[in-house]
Structure formats: C-alpha cells, structure tokens
Amino acid sequence: AALGPKREKKREVRFGRECAAQAMEHTSGCQRLCQSIFCAIVGFPLVLIGASVLLGWNEKRDVCEQKAILAGDSNYKGVTCTDSSEHEGELVFFNCNLLQDGLAAQGFSGFGRGVFASTLSGYVGTGIKVEAEMLQCTERSESRKDNVGGGTTTYYNYDRAWRSSWIDPYRFHDRDKARDQCAGLQPSWPPEVPPTGSYYVNTVMADVWTLPTSLVRKIPLDTSITGTAPAGWQRSEGSLFTFGTGNSIGDIRIRFKGNNWNNVAVSVLGKNLMGTIQDWVAPDDWLCSGYTLQDLRMGTIEISKMWEMQRAESSGMTWALRFLGFALAWIAFCLLAGPLEVATDCIPCIGPMLGNAVSAIACCVSCLPATACTMGVVGVVWIVMRPMVGIPLIIIFLLVMIGMIVWKCCFAKKGKKVYDSEGGGGDDPGTVVGKQDKQHYSGGFHPGLQHLSLTTRR
C-alpha cells in the first residue's frame, strides 16, 4: 500500500463558482523509482526472453509452412463437384458452389436473436455478423510529471462515445465527475440485444462436399440484412436499427450482416474424409511436423493462384511477427534506462525536461542492441533451418556486437583519468581528462608560474 498511487480530489473554482472535484492520482518519485528498478531487474529479462522465443518460433513456422505448401503442391488432386468419393483420404482441390440446403434448420452457434427474432426470421445464410454499439461514458487519463520530486500526477476526465462492448462505470476513478461530464452513466447491456460478434452454422454444403466450421468462417459476411424494426426501435439508413434518440447515454444502434448469395462460387483445398473437407497434414521434415493445409477462397481461382496467396499470407504474417519481436526487444532494452530517467526527474525544476531527454536518448540507443538481438535469434534459427540465409545474419549480428564492444573500450579509454606526473607524490594535483601534452607545463613557463598553476588546480 505504501508503494501504491495516492488518489486525491481537488475542488476547482471557475468564474467564481465551485465545480466538481478534480479526480487525480499521484505517484511519488520513490514509488516510480522502485517500479522502474523492478522493471529493469525483472521486466527486462522476461520481455527479452519472450521476444527471443517469439522470433525463433516465427522463423521456424515460416520455414515449415513454406515446406508444407511445397508438399501440397506436389500431392494435391483435382476433383469434380459431383462425386465426393474421389481420392478419399488425399489432398483435394475443387471449384464448386455454396448451397442453402439445410441451413435454415441449423441456426447460428451461440447466437440469440432476442428482440430481433422476427426481423431475422427470413434470413438464411452461412453466418450472421452483429455490429452493436451503445453510447457510453468513457474514461481517459493524462499523466504529468511533477516539477519537484520526480513524481507524476494522473488526471481523469470523461467523454461520451459509441462502444461495441459494455464499459463498467463502477470501475471509474470518479463516478460523480463522470456523471457530471457525461450527463449520466450507462446501464447494463440489455440481455435481449445480441452483442457484437460473428456467428456461424456448423456445416455448409458446396455441391456434394461438406465444409466444416473452420472453412465456413472464411466465408465473408459483408451484405447488410434488412427487416422490420422491433417495437420501440427505429430503422434508419436502410439496415441500421436504433434505440433512443442517439444522443443520450444508453442509446443503442445495431446492424446485421450476412453472406452474399449472389456470389456462391468457392475454391476449396483440404483432405477428403468421407466427403467432408478436413485438415491435410504435410509429411514430416527436418524439425517440421504436424503442419496442415486447409483453405477456402471466394470465387473460382486456379490452384497456382491459391498457392501464391498462401505464400503471400505466410510471408506477411512472418514480417508482422518479426516487427513485433523487434519491438518487444526494443522495449526490453528501454526498461534498463527507466531508473535513470526517474532519477533525472528528481532534479528540481529542470528534472522533467532532463528526464524526457534521457528517455528519448535511451530509446534511440536501445534500437541498436535490439536490432542485433533480433538478427541474432533469426540467424540462429535460419542456420539450423536454412544455413545459406542464416550465416549472413549471424555475421551482421557479430559485427554489430563487436562494434559496440570496440566503441565502449575506446570511449572508456578516452574518459580515463590521467594525473599530472609533475604534481608530486603525496597529493593529487588535479584531474585532467584526455591525453595530455608533456610540454604543457615546460618550455616557456617560468617555474614560479608553473607552481602557481599547479596550486590553482589543486
């Protein structure tokens, strides 16, 4: 409790009138310093290890997925839309059409129609997408550094905004201020209104083939569903249903979307298991096992195009996770400079400015070791998986690390304290940074002036 933030309320006076209390939360410099030291000691290794694990797993996944695609390209069999017994147990590919047969009786898993039961009674589809929002009071915070002491003060304010998930007003730091600024607090989400989400049927037929839920979820739900508004609701903008005026806390607006039955052609890839398309497991390879292929694309496309799209998606995911791993490594090294920033903040008056400068410098400096660690982890994995790509990355990693070590040694050597050899053996005549010229105190200097200079430096 001693290290926790201190909450306070201050009354504001504007135009001679007393306004609602200003909600704030104060964190002292000692608390911030303890937190930053904890993050440097505990957070740094944990975040860095997490980044390394993510980077290593991502590179292994990329190589294994590319190998699985190559294996699929060599083993797939093209089938027709009339016989589901073709190539039983093998990887098959086909272009067929979605059917509405049996969809009306299934219903959407986990979806409750609520007050919109009559509105949606005529809809038949592979799934339904709900976009529901409530006008709610939201909390926002702003932290400011103290001019003295190294602490921070967090101020809380409240605004009205449309949100797709319910915000609990009892978690606000100051409910009274929230009620004043938002003109009320939102009620609980009505149980008769379905929440935001996508809901699907269990299976869909594509001519003679049965598509499981994993493939049904790839059918886009982008066509608006219209119908009669329930009692107490209004329909506006075609498919948008609203409850309330749209300007009061607790008002709701909702929209439903389904699949487009004017576009029913699909291209499907997967294992034929008694007419149902399941995951096809690629053959095991060096450090790669259990990787599967199963895909659905809207429209009629060639198998070569599907392989190209899968490779592009895998590559995109790889680069996204690489940047994420690099960002985590960068954050880990930034955590090491946290205590230095807080200590600088404690300097009176100019402390916050210096602390911000230290934080910015630490952020820039941390980029270099984060880059080296990222390349090092990626290179180690690629040395194991693909040596011709991994070896250059390891070379770059070693060059960066060696360069940092050499720079550190040179910097330490230049900053070493050098004492004047003519200052005597008993007392330290002074400290001179850098290399000194031996002729500095000889030559044209008179011995008395030289003694005066040494005395002044003492």
Side-chain angles (χ1 to χ4, degrees), residues 6-12 18-26 153-156 158 172-180:
K6 181 180 179 181
R7 297 182 180 178
E8 300 177 355
K9 290 185 179 180
K10 291 185 178 179
R11 306 297 297 184
E12 291 184 287
E18 190 176 42
C19 303
Q22 176 73 15
M24 63 179 62
E25 194 174 74
H26 184 264
T153 302
T154 304
Y155 299 89
Y156 297 94
Y158 302 88
F172 290 162
H173 290 78
D174 190 345
R175 290 196 300 274
D176 293 335
K177 183 178 181 180
R179 187 178 291 106
D180 291 340

Side-chain angles (χ1 to χ4, degrees), residues 425-443:
D427 297 329
D428 181 8
T431 302
V432 180
V433 179
K435 185 177 179 181
Q436 301 299 312
D437 188 357
K438 293 183 178 180
Q439 301 298 326
H440 185 69
Y441 299 116
S442 59

Side-chain angles (χ1 to χ4, degrees), residues 19-205:
C19 303
Q22 176 73 15
M24 63 179 62
E25 194 174 74
H26 184 264
T27 304
S28 67
C30 181
Q31 294 169 354
R32 289 185 61 211
L33 184 61
C34 292
Q35 294 170 359
S36 62
I37 292 175
F38 177 82
C39 290
I41 297 176
V42 179
F44 165 71
L46 290 180
V47 175
L48 188 60
I49 291 173
S52 301
V53 172
L54 175 63
L55 289 168
W57 171 84
N58 179 50
E59 298 305 319
K60 177 178 178 293
R61 177 202 57 81
D62 178 65
V63 174
C64 293
E65 284 188 357
Q66 297 297 332
K67 290 182 177 180
I69 293 173
L70 290 175
D73 193 12
S74 303
N75 290 279
Y76 85 94
K77 306 293 183 182
V79 295
T80 65
C81 300
T82 57
D83 185 5
S84 61
S85 63
E86 293 182 83
H87 299 288
E88 172 71 24
E90 297 187 61
L91 178 65
V92 297
F93 172 78
F94 58 83
N95 302 113
C96 296
N97 294 326
L98 298 175
L99 303 178
Q100 296 186 16
D101 298 349
L103 294 181
Q106 289 191 50
F108 309 111
S109 179
F111 176 69
R113 298 173 185 261
V115 296
F116 293 93
S118 60
T119 305
L120 303 173
S121 60
Y123 170 70
V124 176
T126 62
I128 187 168
K129 183 179 181 181
V130 182
E131 299 175 349
E133 294 179 315
M134 176 188 287
L135 187 60
Q136 304 181 61
C137 187
T138 61
E139 184 179 68
R140 56 185 174 85
S141 61
E142 179 186 3
S143 296
R144 304 172 188 171
K145 291 183 178 180
D146 299 341
N147 291 330
V148 179
T152 59
T153 302
T154 304
Y155 299 89
Y156 297 94
N157 291 285
Y158 302 88
D159 296 310
R160 300 193 304 172
W162 291 97
R163 292 291 183 267
S164 58
S165 59
W166 183 67
I167 300 174
D168 188 357
Y170 289 95
R171 294 177 177 266
F172 290 162
H173 290 78
D174 190 345
R175 290 196 300 274
D176 293 335
K177 183 178 181 180
R179 187 178 291 106
D180 291 340
Q181 292 188 344
C182 297
L185 299 178
Q186 57 268 18
S188 299
W189 192 277
E192 65 273 11
V193 178
T196 296
S198 297
Y199 309 88
Y200 301 89
V201 296
N202 293 324
T203 59
V204 176
M205 296 299 298

Side-chain angles (χ1 to χ4, degrees), residues 272-405:
N272 178 15
L273 187 61
M274 301 179 63
T276 300
I277 304 303
Q278 302 290 349
D279 287 331
W280 179 78
V281 181
D284 293 347
D285 200 351
W286 170 246
L287 297 179
C288 297
S289 63
Y291 283 82
T292 61
L293 290 177
Q294 186 191 49
D295 200 3
L296 179 146
R297 307 284 175 169
M298 298 303 298
T300 301
I301 63 175
E302 300 293 333
I303 184 63
S304 58
K305 182 65 174 179
M306 179 167 282
W307 297 132
E308 181 182 341
M309 295 169 69
Q310 288 191 351
R311 290 190 181 97
E313 289 181 357
S314 178
S315 178
M317 176 64 70
T318 300
W319 279 105
L321 293 178
R322 281 173 181 167
F323 283 118
L324 177 60
F326 167 72
L328 290 176
W330 197 348
I331 292 173
F333 283 100
C334 287
L335 290 177
L336 288 177
L340 182 59
E341 177 192 356
V342 177
T344 310
D345 285 339
C346 295
I347 300 176
C349 298
I350 63 172
M353 181 182 64
L354 295 179
N356 293 336
V358 169
S359 178
I361 294 172
C363 181
C364 296
V365 173
S366 300
C367 181
L368 189 60
T371 303
C373 287
T374 301
M375 289 188 174
V377 174
V378 172
V380 168
V381 176
W382 279 81
I383 279 182
V384 178
M385 307 295 291
R386 291 182 178 178
M388 296 305 296
V389 180
I391 291 177
L393 293 176
I394 289 296
I395 292 176
I396 295 175
F397 165 73
L398 293 177
L399 289 176
V400 172
M401 297 305 295
I402 292 174
M404 292 179 63
I405 294 174

